[in-house]
Amino acid sequence: MQLENSELYRFLALNGVGHGSSYGFSSSSYDFQIMQSFSNSSISETSPQDRALAALKNHKEAERRRRERINSHFNRIRSLLPCNSKTDKASLLAKVVQRLRELKQQAVEITEMENLPSETDEIRVLSCDYSSDGTSIFKASLCCEDRSDLLPELIQILNSLHLKTLRAEMATLGGRIRNVLVVAADKDHGIESVRLLQNALKSLLERSDSKRSV
Amino acid sequence: MQLENSELYRFLALNGVGHGSSYGFSSSSYDFQIMQSFSNSSISETSPQDRALAALKNHKEAERRRRERINSHFNRIRSLLPCNSKTDKASLLAKVVQRLRELKQQAVEITEMENLPSETDEIRVLSCDYSSDGTSIFKASLCCEDRSDLLPELIQILNSLHLKTLRAEMATLGGRIRNVLVVAADKDHGIESVRLLQNALKSLLERSDSKRSV
DNA sequence: ACCGACACGTGAACC
DNA sequence: TGGTTCACGTGTCGG
């Protein structure tokens, strides 16, 4: 039970009006009871106390509506982020901050991610992490010397890691090749798939190096 | 001025201990004053009142830390979204919901956006809206019959609209071509640039049709 | 004077 | 049980 109208409590106490066993009453019926005790007093109908009381009631309800508005937004966010319905507000807002930072990061990544082959070998795997459910989507870029067995090996890597290829680009220039892949991992191994793919591409690139040096 | 410890207020009032002009005191010094009045009473040192009072003080401070934690997250979010520092919490959370929905939408768009030419002509312009400042980034896809003057016209369109090309893909297959562009608009005309580009590409495609029909 | 947004202290509920 | 989270009513400030 909430303690409310403490000012009025003290006023009533000072004027000898006890509230007795009203402690278990619901909020609304309790308000009504106070209103009655005031309007039954000897003061005129629209007394200052009445107006103050009405203002207090308005204020209380407005504040309740405000809380409901904010909490409904919290619940909407809960349904949009990977979390259950009982994650507390602070952690939820922390997730929001993290998510918005990732989003901001993509702006620079999309401008940096060159799709023409570069002179130096390189591997880039960056998590996009779009979806709110477990499945994570990420983007991989591989740049190395072109060779005929590259594509079959790449396909075999993706199959063995159970990665679904959503999108593939290839660009060749001067004997070099760049592949850009957008792949989706199943929800069970979303996080480690990134590392596994990174290692597989790394060994693929190292094999390419050893062949060239022979 | 905050009204606090209302239970204790009533207790003190019933026991004839007035708090007089303590109304303007700060929260902490006021707590101390109450503590003193209790420990000076005839009850033993670690009385139940003392423990309850200490618990209340702990509770009060814990709640204050919780509020600070939540509000600091709110402020971090404010710096991450296009809004000033005085947007209220409800509107801020509404913006967060909107932003996360856009983010979720990109997951399906990235899978739907095919980069091979299709049989039918089509134009797609979708806003990515990555950055928190005014500049908006969006993605355009154009698929039509291939022809030599397509690329120059495309470049001219982008120049006339002051769109900066961050990334361009081209794929041709069986005499048809698909172009996928990622472009950035300056902050002044971010929104209308989308429509302007859409219309320009549309007329470009219609010109292609009329040429073919001749 | 009113209305809306906020911070505060407090009771309750959940581990 | 203490610790932590939440909802609530209330005081306060600004438009």
Side-chain angles (χ1 to χ4, degrees), chain A residues 114-191:
Chain A
E114 189 59 58
N115 55 354
L116 286 183
S118 61
E119 292 296 316
T120 59
D121 292 359
E122 65 172 3
I123 296 169
R124 246 183 285 167
V125 180
L126 57 92
S127 170
C128 297
D129 203 14
Y130 283 115
S131 54
S132 67
D133 52 353
T135 69
S136 67
I137 297 175
F138 52 95
K139 200 182 243 185
S141 172
L142 168 69
C143 184
C144 62
E145 290 290 311
D146 196 5
R147 54 191 170 98
S148 61
D149 56 344
L150 196 65
L151 195 54
E153 290 186 29
L154 204 53
I155 291 174
Q156 201 231 320
I157 287 175
L158 296 175
N159 284 338
S160 67
L161 293 179
H162 299 102
L163 295 174
K164 187 177 162 207
T165 304
L166 303 174
R167 183 181 170 79
E169 296 174 36
M170 274 185 297
T172 61
L173 183 68
R176 294 187 60 80
I177 187 172
R178 177 182 298 272
N179 284 346
V180 178
L181 304 168
V182 177
V183 296
D186 38 333
K187 58 176 65 179
D188 303 330
H189 346 75
I191 312 295

Coordinates of all heavy atoms in Angstrom, one line a residue, chain A residues 114-191:
Chain A
E114 N 36.3 -1.2 -49.5 CA 36.5 -1.1 -50.9 C 36.2 -2.4 -51.6 O 36.4 -3.4 -51.1 CB 38.0 -0.7 -51.1 CG 38.4 -0.4 -52.5 CD 37.7 0.8 -53.0 OE1 37.8 1.9 -52.4 OE2 37.0 0.7 -54.0
N115 N 35.6 -2.3 -52.8 CA 35.3 -3.5 -53.5 C 36.2 -3.8 -54.7 O 35.9 -4.7 -55.5 CB 33.8 -3.6 -53.9 CG 33.4 -2.4 -54.7 OD1 34.2 -1.5 -54.9 ND2 32.2 -2.4 -55.2
L116 N 37.3 -3.0 -54.8 CA 38.3 -3.4 -55.8 C 39.5 -4.0 -55.1 O 39.7 -3.7 -54.0 CB 38.7 -2.1 -56.6 CG 37.7 -1.5 -57.6 CD1 38.3 -0.4 -58.3 CD2 37.3 -2.6 -58.6
P117 N 40.1 -5.0 -55.8 CA 41.3 -5.6 -55.2 C 42.4 -4.6 -54.9 O 42.6 -3.7 -55.7 CB 41.7 -6.6 -56.3 CG 40.6 -6.8 -57.2 CD 39.8 -5.5 -57.2
S118 N 43.0 -4.8 -53.8 CA 44.1 -4.0 -53.4 C 45.4 -4.7 -53.6 O 45.5 -5.9 -54.0 CB 44.0 -3.6 -51.9 OG 44.0 -4.7 -51.1
E119 N 46.6 -4.0 -53.5 CA 47.9 -4.6 -53.7 C 48.2 -5.7 -52.7 O 48.9 -6.6 -52.9 CB 49.0 -3.5 -53.8 CG 48.9 -2.6 -55.0 CD 49.1 -3.3 -56.3 OE1 50.0 -4.2 -56.4 OE2 48.3 -3.1 -57.2
T120 N 47.8 -5.4 -51.4 CA 48.2 -6.3 -50.3 C 47.1 -7.2 -50.0 O 45.9 -6.9 -50.1 CB 48.5 -5.4 -49.1 OG1 47.3 -4.7 -48.7 CG2 49.6 -4.5 -49.3
D121 N 47.5 -8.4 -49.6 CA 46.5 -9.4 -49.1 C 45.9 -8.9 -47.8 O 46.5 -8.4 -47.0 CB 47.2 -10.8 -48.9 CG 47.7 -11.4 -50.2 OD1 47.5 -10.7 -51.2 OD2 48.3 -12.5 -50.1
E122 N 44.6 -9.2 -47.7 CA 43.9 -8.9 -46.5 C 42.6 -9.6 -46.3 O 42.0 -10.1 -47.3 CB 43.7 -7.4 -46.4 CG 42.7 -6.8 -47.4 CD 42.4 -5.4 -47.2 OE1 42.9 -4.8 -46.2 OE2 41.5 -4.9 -47.9
I123 N 42.2 -9.8 -45.0 CA 41.0 -10.4 -44.7 C 40.3 -9.5 -43.7 O 40.9 -8.9 -42.8 CB 41.2 -11.7 -43.9 CG1 41.9 -12.7 -44.9 CG2 39.9 -12.3 -43.4 CD1 42.3 -14.0 -44.2
R124 N 39.0 -9.2 -44.0 CA 38.2 -8.5 -43.0 C 36.9 -9.2 -42.8 O 36.2 -9.5 -43.7 CB 37.9 -7.1 -43.6 CG 38.6 -6.0 -42.7 CD 38.3 -4.6 -43.3 NE 39.0 -4.3 -44.5 CZ 38.7 -3.3 -45.3 NH1 37.7 -2.5 -45.0 NH2 39.4 -3.0 -46.4
V125 N 36.6 -9.4 -41.5 CA 35.3 -9.9 -41.1 C 34.6 -9.0 -40.1 O 35.2 -8.8 -39.1 CB 35.4 -11.3 -40.5 CG1 34.0 -11.9 -40.2 CG2 36.1 -12.3 -41.5
L126 N 33.5 -8.4 -40.5 CA 32.9 -7.5 -39.5 C 31.4 -7.9 -39.3 O 30.7 -8.2 -40.3 CB 33.0 -6.1 -40.0 CG 32.5 -5.6 -41.4 CD1 31.0 -5.2 -41.2 CD2 33.3 -4.5 -41.9
S127 N 31.0 -7.9 -38.1 CA 29.7 -8.3 -37.7 C 28.7 -7.2 -38.0 O 28.9 -6.1 -37.6 CB 29.7 -8.7 -36.2 OG 28.3 -8.9 -35.8
C128 N 27.7 -7.5 -38.7 CA 26.6 -6.5 -38.9 C 25.6 -6.6 -37.8 O 25.1 -5.7 -37.3 CB 25.9 -6.7 -40.3 SG 27.1 -6.5 -41.6
D129 N 25.2 -7.9 -37.5 CA 24.4 -8.2 -36.3 C 23.0 -7.4 -36.4 O 22.6 -6.7 -35.6 CB 25.1 -7.8 -35.0 CG 24.5 -8.5 -33.8 OD1 23.8 -9.5 -34.0 OD2 24.7 -8.1 -32.7
Y130 N 22.4 -7.6 -37.6 CA 21.2 -6.9 -37.9 C 20.0 -7.3 -37.0 O 19.3 -6.6 -36.4 CB 20.8 -7.0 -39.3 CG 21.7 -6.1 -40.2 CD1 22.6 -6.7 -41.1 CD2 21.6 -4.7 -40.1 CE1 23.3 -5.9 -42.0 CE2 22.4 -3.9 -40.9 CZ 23.2 -4.5 -41.9 OH 24.0 -3.7 -42.7
S131 N 19.8 -8.6 -37.0 CA 18.5 -9.1 -36.6 C 18.4 -9.2 -35.1 O 19.4 -9.2 -34.3 CB 18.3 -10.6 -37.1 OG 19.4 -11.3 -36.8
S132 N 17.2 -9.1 -34.6 CA 17.0 -9.1 -33.1 C 16.9 -10.5 -32.6 O 17.2 -10.7 -31.4 CB 15.7 -8.3 -32.8 OG 14.6 -9.1 -33.3
D133 N 16.6 -11.4 -33.4 CA 16.6 -12.8 -33.0 C 18.1 -13.3 -33.0 O 19.0 -12.5 -33.3 CB 15.7 -13.7 -33.8 CG 16.0 -13.6 -35.3 OD1 16.8 -12.7 -35.6 OD2 15.4 -14.3 -36.1
G134 N 18.3 -14.6 -32.7 CA 19.7 -15.0 -32.5 C 20.5 -15.0 -33.8 O 21.7 -14.8 -33.7
T135 N 20.0 -15.1 -35.0 CA 20.7 -15.2 -36.2 C 21.5 -13.9 -36.4 O 21.0 -12.8 -36.4 CB 19.8 -15.5 -37.4 OG1 19.1 -14.3 -37.6 CG2 18.9 -16.7 -37.2
S136 N 22.8 -14.1 -36.7 CA 23.6 -12.9 -36.9 C 24.1 -12.9 -38.3 O 24.5 -13.9 -38.9 CB 24.8 -12.9 -35.9 OG 25.7 -13.9 -36.2
I137 N 24.1 -11.7 -38.9 CA 24.6 -11.5 -40.3 C 25.9 -10.8 -40.2 O 26.1 -9.8 -39.5 CB 23.5 -10.7 -41.1 CG1 22.2 -11.5 -41.2 CG2 24.1 -10.4 -42.5 CD1 21.1 -10.7 -41.8
F138 N 26.9 -11.2 -41.0 CA 28.1 -10.5 -41.1 C 28.7 -10.5 -42.5 O 28.4 -11.3 -43.3 CB 29.1 -10.9 -40.0 CG 29.4 -12.4 -39.9 CD1 30.5 -12.9 -40.6 CD2 28.5 -13.2 -39.2 CE1 30.7 -14.3 -40.5 CE2 28.8 -14.6 -39.2 CZ 29.9 -15.1 -39.8
K139 N 29.7 -9.6 -42.6 CA 30.3 -9.4 -43.9 C 31.7 -9.7 -43.9 O 32.4 -9.4 -42.9 CB 30.1 -7.9 -44.2 CG 30.2 -7.4 -45.6 CD 30.1 -5.9 -45.7 CE 28.9 -5.5 -46.5 NZ 28.8 -4.0 -46.7
A140 N 32.2 -10.4 -44.9 CA 33.6 -10.8 -45.0 C 34.2 -10.3 -46.3 O 33.5 -10.4 -47.3 CB 33.7 -12.3 -44.9
S141 N 35.4 -9.9 -46.2 CA 36.1 -9.4 -47.4 C 37.5 -10.1 -47.5 O 38.2 -10.1 -46.5 CB 36.3 -7.9 -47.3 OG 37.1 -7.4 -48.4
L142 N 37.8 -10.7 -48.6 CA 39.0 -11.4 -48.8 C 39.7 -10.9 -50.1 O 39.1 -10.8 -51.2 CB 38.7 -12.9 -49.0 CG 39.9 -13.8 -49.5 CD1 41.0 -13.9 -48.4 CD2 39.3 -15.2 -49.8
C143 N 40.9 -10.5 -50.0 CA 41.7 -10.0 -51.1 C 43.0 -10.7 -51.2 O 43.8 -10.7 -50.3 CB 41.9 -8.5 -51.0 SG 42.7 -7.7 -52.4
C144 N 43.3 -11.3 -52.4 CA 44.5 -12.1 -52.6 C 44.8 -12.2 -54.1 O 44.1 -11.7 -54.9 CB 44.5 -13.4 -51.9 SG 43.2 -14.5 -52.5
E145 N 45.9 -13.0 -54.4 CA 46.1 -13.3 -55.8 C 45.0 -14.2 -56.3 O 44.5 -15.1 -55.6 CB 47.5 -14.1 -55.9 CG 48.7 -13.3 -55.6 CD 49.0 -12.3 -56.7 OE1 48.9 -12.7 -57.9 OE2 49.2 -11.1 -56.4
D146 N 44.7 -14.0 -57.5 CA 43.6 -14.9 -58.1 C 44.2 -16.2 -58.4 O 45.3 -16.4 -58.9 CB 43.1 -14.2 -59.4 CG 41.7 -14.8 -59.8 OD1 41.2 -15.7 -59.0 OD2 41.2 -14.4 -60.8
R147 N 43.4 -17.2 -58.2 CA 43.7 -18.6 -58.6 C 42.5 -19.4 -58.8 O 41.5 -19.1 -58.2 CB 44.7 -19.2 -57.6 CG 44.2 -19.2 -56.2 CD 45.3 -19.6 -55.2 NE 45.0 -19.4 -53.9 CZ 44.5 -20.4 -53.1 NH1 44.3 -21.6 -53.5 NH2 44.2 -20.1 -51.8
S148 N 42.5 -20.5 -59.6 CA 41.3 -21.2 -60.0 C 40.6 -21.9 -58.9 O 39.4 -22.0 -58.9 CB 41.7 -22.1 -61.1 OG 42.6 -23.1 -60.7
D149 N 41.4 -22.4 -57.9 CA 40.8 -23.2 -56.9 C 40.3 -22.4 -55.7 O 39.9 -22.9 -54.7 CB 41.8 -24.3 -56.4 CG 43.1 -23.6 -55.9 OD1 43.3 -22.4 -56.2 OD2 43.9 -24.3 -55.2
L150 N 40.4 -21.1 -55.8 CA 40.0 -20.2 -54.7 C 38.5 -20.3 -54.4 O 38.1 -20.5 -53.3 CB 40.3 -18.7 -55.0 CG 40.3 -17.8 -53.8 CD1 41.4 -18.2 -52.9 CD2 40.5 -16.4 -54.3
L151 N 37.7 -20.2 -55.5 CA 36.2 -20.2 -55.3 C 35.7 -21.5 -54.7 O 34.9 -21.5 -53.8 CB 35.6 -19.9 -56.6 CG 34.1 -19.5 -56.5 CD1 33.9 -18.4 -55.5 CD2 33.5 -19.1 -57.9
P152 N 36.1 -22.7 -55.3 CA 35.7 -24.0 -54.7 C 36.1 -24.1 -53.2 O 35.2 -24.5 -52.4 CB 36.4 -25.0 -55.5 CG 36.7 -24.4 -56.8 CD 36.9 -22.9 -56.5
E153 N 37.3 -23.7 -52.8 CA 37.7 -23.7 -51.4 C 36.8 -22.8 -50.6 O 36.4 -23.2 -49.4 CB 39.2 -23.4 -51.3 CG 40.1 -24.4 -51.9 CD 41.6 -24.1 -51.6 OE1 41.8 -23.4 -50.6 OE2 42.4 -24.4 -52.4
L154 N 36.5 -21.6 -51.1 CA 35.7 -20.7 -50.4 C 34.3 -21.3 -50.1 O 33.8 -21.2 -49.0 CB 35.6 -19.4 -51.2 CG 35.3 -18.1 -50.5 CD1 36.2 -17.9 -49.3 CD2 35.3 -16.9 -51.4
I155 N 33.8 -21.9 -51.2 CA 32.4 -22.5 -51.0 C 32.4 -23.6 -50.0 O 31.5 -23.7 -49.2 CB 32.0 -23.0 -52.4 CG1 31.7 -21.8 -53.3 CG2 30.7 -23.8 -52.2 CD1 31.3 -22.2 -54.7
Q156 N 33.5 -24.4 -50.0 CA 33.6 -25.5 -49.1 C 33.7 -25.0 -47.6 O 33.1 -25.5 -46.7 CB 34.8 -26.4 -49.4 CG 34.7 -27.8 -48.8 CD 36.0 -28.2 -48.1 OE1 37.1 -27.8 -48.5 NE2 35.8 -28.8 -46.9
I157 N 34.4 -23.9 -47.4 CA 34.5 -23.3 -46.1 C 33.2 -22.8 -45.6 O 32.7 -23.1 -44.5 CB 35.5 -22.1 -46.1 CG1 37.0 -22.6 -46.2 CG2 35.3 -21.2 -44.9 CD1 38.0 -21.4 -46.4
L158 N 32.4 -22.2 -46.5 CA 31.1 -21.7 -46.1 C 30.2 -22.8 -45.8 O 29.4 -22.8 -44.8 CB 30.5 -20.8 -47.2 CG 31.3 -19.5 -47.5 CD1 30.8 -18.8 -48.7 CD2 31.3 -18.6 -46.3
N159 N 30.3 -23.9 -46.6 CA 29.4 -25.0 -46.3 C 29.7 -25.7 -45.0 O 28.9 -26.0 -44.2 CB 29.5 -26.0 -47.4 CG 28.7 -25.6 -48.7 OD1 27.8 -24.8 -48.6 ND2 29.1 -26.1 -49.8
S160 N 31.1 -25.9 -44.7 CA 31.4 -26.6 -43.5 C 31.1 -25.8 -42.3 O 30.9 -26.4 -41.2 CB 32.9 -26.9 -43.6 OG 33.7 -25.7 -43.5
L161 N 31.0 -24.5 -42.4 CA 30.6 -23.7 -41.2 C 29.1 -23.4 -41.1 O 28.7 -22.7 -40.3 CB 31.4 -22.3 -41.3 CG 32.9 -22.4 -41.1 CD1 33.5 -21.0 -41.1 CD2 33.2 -23.1 -39.7
H162 N 28.4 -24.0 -42.1 CA 26.9 -23.9 -42.1 C 26.6 -22.4 -42.2 O 25.6 -21.9 -41.6 CB 26.3 -24.5 -40.9 CG 26.5 -26.0 -40.8 ND1 27.4 -26.5 -40.0 CD2 26.0 -27.0 -41.5 CE1 27.4 -27.9 -40.1 NE2 26.5 -28.2 -41.0
L163 N 27.3 -21.7 -43.0 CA 27.0 -20.3 -43.3 C 26.2 -20.2 -44.6 O 26.5 -20.7 -45.6 CB 28.3 -19.5 -43.4 CG 29.1 -19.4 -42.1 CD1 30.4 -18.7 -42.4 CD2 28.3 -18.7 -41.0
K164 N 25.1 -19.4 -44.5 CA 24.3 -19.2 -45.6 C 24.7 -17.9 -46.3 O 24.7 -16.9 -45.7 CB 22.8 -19.1 -45.2 CG 21.8 -19.1 -46.4 CD 20.4 -19.0 -45.8 CE 19.4 -18.5 -46.9 NZ 18.3 -17.9 -46.3
T165 N 25.0 -18.1 -47.6 CA 25.5 -16.9 -48.3 C 24.3 -16.1 -48.9 O 23.5 -16.6 -49.7 CB 26.4 -17.3 -49.5 OG1 27.5 -18.1 -49.0 CG2 27.0 -16.1 -50.2
L166 N 24.2 -14.9 -48.4 CA 23.1 -14.0 -48.8 C 23.5 -13.2 -50.1 O 22.6 -12.8 -50.8 CB 22.7 -13.1 -47.7 CG 22.3 -13.7 -46.4 CD1 22.1 -12.7 -45.3 CD2 21.1 -14.6 -46.6
R167 N 24.8 -13.0 -50.2 CA 25.2 -12.1 -51.2 C 26.7 -12.3 -51.5 O 27.5 -12.5 -50.5 CB 25.0 -10.7 -50.7 CG 25.3 -9.6 -51.7 CD 25.0 -8.2 -50.9 NE 25.5 -7.1 -51.7 CZ 24.9 -6.6 -52.7 NH1 23.7 -7.1 -53.1 NH2 25.4 -5.6 -53.4
A168 N 27.2 -12.3 -52.7 CA 28.6 -12.5 -53.0 C 29.0 -11.5 -54.2 O 28.3 -11.4 -55.1 CB 28.8 -13.9 -53.4
E169 N 30.1 -10.9 -54.0 CA 30.7 -10.0 -55.0 C 32.0 -10.6 -55.3 O 32.8 -11.0 -54.5 CB 30.8 -8.6 -54.6 CG 29.5 -7.9 -54.3 CD 29.8 -6.5 -53.7 OE1 30.8 -5.9 -54.1 OE2 29.1 -6.1 -52.8
M170 N 32.4 -10.5 -56.6 CA 33.8 -10.8 -57.0 C 34.3 -9.7 -57.9 O 33.5 -9.3 -58.8 CB 33.9 -12.1 -57.7 CG 34.0 -13.3 -56.8 SD 34.2 -14.8 -57.7 CE 32.7 -14.8 -58.6
A171 N 35.5 -9.2 -57.7 CA 36.1 -8.3 -58.6 C 37.5 -8.7 -58.9 O 38.3 -8.9 -57.9 CB 36.0 -6.9 -58.1
T172 N 38.0 -8.8 -60.1 CA 39.3 -9.1 -60.4 C 40.0 -8.0 -61.2 O 39.3 -7.3 -62.0 CB 39.4 -10.4 -61.3 OG1 38.8 -10.2 -62.5 CG2 38.8 -11.6 -60.6
L173 N 41.3 -7.8 -60.9 CA 42.0 -6.7 -61.5 C 43.5 -7.0 -61.5 O 44.0 -7.2 -60.4 CB 41.7 -5.3 -60.8 CG 42.3 -4.1 -61.4 CD1 41.7 -3.8 -62.7 CD2 42.2 -2.9 -60.5
G174 N 44.1 -7.1 -62.6 CA 45.5 -7.3 -62.7 C 46.0 -8.6 -62.0 O 47.0 -8.6 -61.3
G175 N 45.2 -9.7 -62.2 CA 45.6 -10.9 -61.6 C 45.3 -11.1 -60.1 O 45.5 -12.1 -59.5
R176 N 44.7 -10.0 -59.5 CA 44.3 -10.1 -58.1 C 42.8 -10.1 -58.0 O 42.1 -9.7 -58.9 CB 44.9 -8.9 -57.3 CG 46.4 -9.0 -57.2 CD 46.9 -7.9 -56.3 NE 46.4 -8.1 -54.9 CZ 46.9 -8.9 -54.0 NH1 47.9 -9.7 -54.4 NH2 46.4 -9.0 -52.8
I177 N 42.3 -10.7 -56.9 CA 40.8 -10.8 -56.7 C 40.4 -10.3 -55.4 O 41.1 -10.4 -54.4 CB 40.4 -12.3 -56.9 CG1 38.9 -12.4 -56.9 CG2 41.0 -13.2 -55.8 CD1 38.4 -13.8 -57.3
R178 N 39.2 -9.7 -55.3 CA 38.6 -9.4 -54.0 C 37.2 -10.0 -54.0 O 36.4 -9.9 -55.0 CB 38.4 -7.9 -53.8 CG 37.7 -7.7 -52.4 CD 37.5 -6.2 -52.1 NE 38.8 -5.5 -52.0 CZ 39.5 -5.4 -50.8 NH1 39.0 -6.0 -49.7 NH2 40.6 -4.7 -50.8
N179 N 36.9 -10.8 -53.0 CA 35.6 -11.3 -52.7 C 35.0 -10.6 -51.5 O 35.6 -10.5 -50.5 CB 35.7 -12.8 -52.4 CG 35.9 -13.6 -53.7 OD1 35.7 -13.1 -54.8 ND2 36.3 -14.9 -53.5
V180 N 33.7 -10.2 -51.7 CA 33.0 -9.7 -50.5 C 31.8 -10.5 -50.3 O 31.0 -10.7 -51.3 CB 32.6 -8.2 -50.8 CG1 31.7 -7.7 -49.6 CG2 33.8 -7.3 -51.0
L181 N 31.6 -11.1 -49.2 CA 30.5 -12.0 -48.8 C 29.7 -11.4 -47.7 O 30.2 -10.9 -46.8 CB 31.1 -13.4 -48.4 CG 32.1 -14.1 -49.3 CD1 32.7 -15.2 -48.6 CD2 31.3 -14.6 -50.6
V182 N 28.4 -11.6 -47.9 CA 27.5 -11.3 -46.8 C 26.8 -12.7 -46.4 O 26.2 -13.3 -47.2 CB 26.4 -10.3 -47.2 CG1 25.4 -10.1 -46.0 CG2 27.0 -9.0 -47.5
V183 N 27.1 -13.1 -45.2 CA 26.6 -14.5 -44.8 C 25.8 -14.4 -43.5 O 26.0 -13.5 -42.7 CB 27.9 -15.4 -44.6 CG1 28.6 -15.6 -45.9 CG2 28.8 -14.9 -43.6
A184 N 25.0 -15.4 -43.3 CA 24.2 -15.5 -42.1 C 24.5 -16.8 -41.4 O 24.7 -17.8 -42.0 CB 22.7 -15.5 -42.5
A185 N 24.7 -16.6 -40.1 CA 25.0 -17.8 -39.2 C 23.8 -18.2 -38.5 O 23.0 -17.3 -38.1 CB 26.2 -17.5 -38.3
D186 N 23.6 -19.5 -38.3 CA 22.5 -19.9 -37.5 C 22.7 -19.5 -36.0 O 23.8 -19.4 -35.6 CB 22.2 -21.5 -37.6 CG 23.5 -22.2 -37.6 OD1 24.5 -21.6 -38.1 OD2 23.6 -23.4 -37.2
K187 N 21.6 -19.4 -35.3 CA 21.6 -18.7 -34.0 C 22.5 -19.4 -33.0 O 23.0 -18.8 -32.0 CB 20.2 -18.6 -33.5 CG 19.5 -19.9 -33.3 CD 18.1 -19.7 -32.7 CE 17.2 -18.9 -33.5 NZ 15.9 -18.7 -32.9
D188 N 22.7 -20.7 -33.2 CA 23.4 -21.5 -32.2 C 24.9 -21.1 -32.1 O 25.5 -21.0 -31.0 CB 23.3 -23.0 -32.5 CG 21.9 -23.4 -32.6 OD1 21.1 -22.8 -31.9 OD2 21.6 -24.4 -33.3
H189 N 25.5 -20.9 -33.2 CA 27.0 -20.5 -33.2 C 27.2 -19.2 -33.9 O 28.2 -19.1 -34.7 CB 27.8 -21.6 -33.8 CG 27.1 -22.9 -34.1 ND1 26.2 -23.1 -35.0 CD2 27.2 -24.1 -33.4 CE1 25.7 -24.3 -35.0 NE2 26.3 -24.9 -34.0
G190 N 26.4 -18.2 -33.6 CA 26.5 -16.9 -34.3 C 27.8 -16.2 -34.0 O 28.5 -15.8 -34.9
I191 N 28.2 -16.3 -32.7 CA 29.4 -15.5 -32.3 C 30.7 -16.2 -32.8 O 31.5 -15.6 -33.4 CB 29.4 -15.4 -30.8 CG1 28.1 -14.9 -30.3 CG2 30.5 -14.4 -30.4 CD1 27.7 -13.5 -30.7

